[in-house]
Amino acid sequence: MSILVVGSVAYDTVETPFGRAERVLGGSASFFSVAASFFSPVNLVGVVGRDFGDEQLAAFRDRPIDLEGLERMEGETFHWQGKYSLDLNSRDTICTDLNVFEFFQPKIPTRYRGSEVVFLGNIDPVLQRRVLEQVERPRIVACDTMNFWIHGKPDELRKTLEKVQILLVNDQEARELSGEWNLVKAAAAIRAMGPRTVVVKKGEHGVLMFDDAGCFAAPALPLETVFDPTGAGDTFAGGFLGYLASTGQEGDAALRRAVIVGSTLASFCVEAFSLDRLVTLSRPEIDERYRAFERLTRFESL
Ligand code: AMP
C-alpha cells in the first residue's frame, strides 16, 4: 500500500552538546518519508523554496519516494533552529522562519489521491482536513500535532481528530490535548475524540500505545551514541506507518510490531545529525536491531 505524507521539508540548524549542524536537511515529511520508504512507497506533499537544490534531494533519490507533490515556490525554504539541553531531553526553539511554508496550501496530485495510508504531519489542522478532502478513501489516516495547534486552534484540531484513526503525540502533548496529567486517562480522553489508536512517545523512555486491545509499552533501545534527537518522532512515525502499510494488517499484533519498527528506525535517527544515519541505513541493519529489541524485552513466564 502506498503512503501519502504531508508535512514540512526544511533546513534545520541544530545545536547539541556534541556539535552544531548548519542548514541541514530536516522537516517532518523528510524524516518520515525516508524512514517509511524502507517498507512502502511514499508520495510526498510539501513545499520548498528556490534555495532548495538537487544536493538536498539526494536523500530522497533511489528510494520509492515520489516527489511530484513537492512544490517549489518563489522564496526561501522553511528554516527551523533548535538547541538541546546537556542531557538531550529538552530543547529550545531558537527560531522558526516559516518562509514559503507560510503560504503552503497542500495540493494533492491526482496520482496520489488513491493512497491507502495517509500521514498528516504537524501542520495547521485546517490544512490537514483539506488534505483529507482531496483523497479518495484511505484505509488508515494517522496524524501528528503539537502544542502550537493544541492551544492555537483547539476546535479545528478536534474536527480533524474526528477523521483520524491513529494519533501520534508526545507525552506532554497528550496531557495538554486531554487536560489529564495521567497518561492512561489522557489516552482514554483522546480516544473519545476520534482516534482508535493513540501512540504516546516518551523520548528516551519509549512509547505507550493505547488501542482496542488495551495498552502496549515499548522501551527505547539503550544506546551508547545519542547525538541529535531531531526528527526522531517523525522517523518513528515513518517506520510505524511504513511497516503497517507493507503488511496490510491493522490488528493489535501488527500495531505492536509497528511500534517496534518505529522505535528501531528512531534509534538510528538519533545517532547522527539530520538524516545522515538514515540515508546510509540498510534493511539488514534494521532487521538486526529489531531482534535486539526482542532480546531486550523478552522474559519467561513465572
Ligand atoms: P521532531 O524532532 O520529531 O519534533 O521534528 C523536528 C523537525 O520538525 C525538524 O526537522 C523541523 O524542521 C520540523 N519542525 C519544527 N517546527 C515545525 C513547525 N512549526 N512546523 C512544521 N515542522 C516543524
Side-chain angles (χ1 to χ4, degrees):
M1 289 199 259
S2 60
I3 307 180
L4 169 68
V5 54
V6 183
S8 56
V9 175
Y11 283 125
D12 286 350
T13 297
V14 180
E15 241 181 279
T16 78
F18 310 108
R20 181 183 164 93
E22 193 89 33
R23 291 181 69 80
V24 289
L25 178 63
S28 58
S30 307
F31 287 103
F32 179 95
S33 300
V34 172
S37 72
F38 286 98
F39 302 93
S40 297
V42 179
N43 298 322
L44 193 162
V45 173
V47 64
V48 291
R50 295 282 166 201
D51 56 349
F52 195 90
D54 277 359
E55 202 187 312
Q56 282 69 37
L57 286 178
F60 305 123
R61 214 166 282 135
D62 302 326
R63 297 174 189 278
I65 300 176
D66 192 301
L67 297 175
E68 187 194 334
L70 182 62
E71 205 182 320
R72 195 165 288 200
M73 267 169 70
E74 281 308 329
E76 285 185 44
T77 302
F78 174 68
H79 173 242
W80 173 80
Q81 183 170 353
K83 184 175 177 179
Y84 286 85
S85 62
L86 280 179
D87 63 3
L88 293 173
N89 279 331
S90 62
R91 74 177 177 209
D92 290 325
T93 291
I94 309 291
C95 74
T96 302
D97 303 319
L98 289 175
N99 299 332
V100 293
F101 206 49
E102 192 178 349
F103 310 104
F104 182 46
Q105 292 291 335
K107 288 184 259 330
I108 312 301
T110 316
R111 283 196 300 117
Y112 293 5
R113 296 189 176 184
S115 301
E116 288 149 303
V117 177
V118 176
F119 180 63
L120 304 169
N122 165 30
I123 55 173
D124 186 329
V126 176
L127 295 186
Q128 290 179 323
R129 277 208 309 288
R130 214 160 282 158
V131 171
L132 292 182
E133 286 158 12
Q134 296 176 62
V135 290
E136 278 153 16
R137 212 170 293 114
R139 282 176 59 173
I140 303 175
V141 177
C143 168
D144 184 10
T145 191
M146 69 187 287
N147 302 3
F148 185 75
W149 305 119
I150 292 170
H151 298 295
K153 296 206 174 173
D155 298 337
E156 296 295 347
L157 182 58
R158 288 293 188 101
K159 282 190 216 158
T160 298
L161 289 178
E162 286 169 16
K163 299 179 186 306
V164 165
Q165 282 93 52
I166 304 176
L167 178 71
L168 301 115
V169 279
N170 68 34
D171 44 358
Q172 193 53 33
E173 290 157 354
R175 291 186 170 115
E176 292 183 22
L177 177 59
S178 62
E180 294 280 0
W181 191 88
N182 177 289
L183 288 178
V184 178
K185 289 184 181 167
I190 295 170
R191 293 185 75 222
M193 296 174 196
R196 266 196 355 251
T197 302
V198 177
V199 179
V200 182
K201 298 168 288 179
K202 302 193 299 160
E204 67 168 336
H205 302 297
V207 173
L208 290 176
M209 177 178 68
F210 299 87
D211 64 8
D212 290 339
C215 177
F216 175 61
L221 199 69
L223 290 169
E224 254 181 59
T225 316
V226 180
F227 197 80
D228 172 17
T230 307
D234 305 306
T235 302
F236 173 91
F240 177 88
L241 279 179
Y243 174 74
L244 271 189
S246 74
T247 63
Q249 300 167 15
E250 292 162 44
D252 181 61
L255 285 165
R256 287 176 179 230
R257 289 195 300 273
V259 166
I260 302 300
V261 173
S263 305
T264 299
L265 269 290
S267 77
F268 285 110
C269 171
V270 302
E271 287 182 349
F273 277 129
S274 182
L275 283 83
D276 291 359
R277 183 64 183 98
L278 294 180
V279 296
T280 63
L281 192 57
S282 67
R283 182 59 199 254
E285 286 177 308
I286 295 172
D287 294 342
E288 173 50 34
R289 199 165 276 188
Y290 186 96
R291 288 192 290 273
F293 263 103
E294 282 186 279
R295 290 192 295 275
L296 179 71
T297 52
R298 188 180 305 137
F299 50 89
E300 293 174 357
S301 304
L302 280 181

